[in-house]
Amino acid sequence: MSNTAGTAAAPPPERIVARLRPHARALFWPSLVLIATCGALGYYGGQFTEVWENVLLYSSAAAIVLLLFLLPLAFWLSKRYTITTRRIILRHGFFVRVRQELLHSRGYDISVRRSWLQSAFRSGDVRINSGLEKPVVLQDVPKADLVQSALHDLMEHSQNIVSTRRQQDESAVPDQTAIWGSR
């Protein structure tokens, strides 16, 4: 028989609650630039008599699409927030990747900040103050109120699990038996 009195129960496995990116509204202007560039290229493409003029048109259209559509798209895709049952993981960066984690069990304050445009789209900046020198900000997250309430629930549940585990560890009976008075 094995003695499991001092062994705490294994914590539940970590599950992903949400995967978020900033609101796709950030791609509105780059998408308009792409549509306008494709329209202009379709209208003016091949109409010039000189070859160098057509080459200049196609190369400038490619440069516009690269700089004003593909780069903003790549930067938007490179920013990602993952909320799990144990922590928040922030990943961002295009050339230099940065990963930051914040455990729910540490406790933090959550607030939502919105501009008038974010209010119209029900998004907002979720600010998480964990006592560090500057707060962690989930920028322009869709459904910011839902994210805030989910983080409150996850933090409360995580703190209950940590405090329960701590109480179990402190109240566990040690395996060693001391015999008093033996010679």
Side-chain angles (χ1 to χ4, degrees):
M1 284 190 170
S2 65
N3 188 358
T4 59
T7 307
E14 184 174 21
R15 292 176 311 158
I16 294 176
V17 176
R19 288 188 176 116
L20 304 168
R21 291 192 192 282
H23 200 280
R25 179 183 66 250
L27 297 176
F28 176 75
W29 292 110
S31 298
L32 280 182
V33 167
L34 177 68
I35 292 168
T37 304
C38 290
L41 188 62
Y43 184 77
Y44 292 111
Q47 285 192 353
F48 298 111
T49 57
E50 298 290 326
V51 174
W52 69 269
E53 292 174 332
N54 287 322
V55 170
L56 181 64
L57 176 71
Y58 288 117
S59 61
S60 62
I64 288 172
V65 167
L66 175 71
L67 292 175
L68 298 179
F69 177 72
L70 290 177
L71 281 179
L73 177 67
F75 281 114
W76 181 78
L77 287 172
S78 70
K79 194 175 285 188
R80 186 172 48 193
Y81 313 119
T82 306
I83 299 173
T84 69
T85 54
R86 290 188 190 160
R87 59 192 166 176
I88 303 169
I89 304 167
L90 293 87
R91 294 184 189 119
H92 61 88
F94 189 66
F95 295 111
V96 177
R97 301 285 299 166
V98 177
R99 178 184 166 125
Q100 186 177 3
E101 294 185 8
L102 185 62
L103 295 173
H104 297 309
S105 61
R106 292 191 62 199
Y108 42 78
D109 295 329
I110 305 167
S111 62
V112 175
R113 182 184 167 277
R114 288 189 170 135
S115 67
W116 65 271
L117 187 62
Q118 289 174 331
S119 293
F121 288 98
R122 295 184 185 167
S123 64
D125 297 337
V126 178
R127 307 184 73 151
I128 304 167
N129 188 1
S130 62
L132 300 174
E133 61 273 356
K134 67 179 197 175
V136 174
V137 179
L138 307 179
Q139 295 177 346
D140 201 19
V141 201
K143 299 180 183 176
D145 290 334
L146 183 62
V147 172
Q148 181 185 22
S149 65
L151 287 174
H152 276 297
D153 292 343
L154 288 168
M155 182 179 59
E156 182 178 324
H157 183 261
S158 180
Q159 286 180 342
N160 288 342
I161 289 175
V162 169
S163 64
T164 303
R165 202 175 304 143
R166 190 175 299 136
Q167 286 175 351
Q168 287 175 351
D169 290 344
E170 289 174 359
S171 65
V173 179
D175 278 347
Q176 300 172 352
T177 305
I179 302 175
W180 296 97
S182 63
R183 295 180 193 205

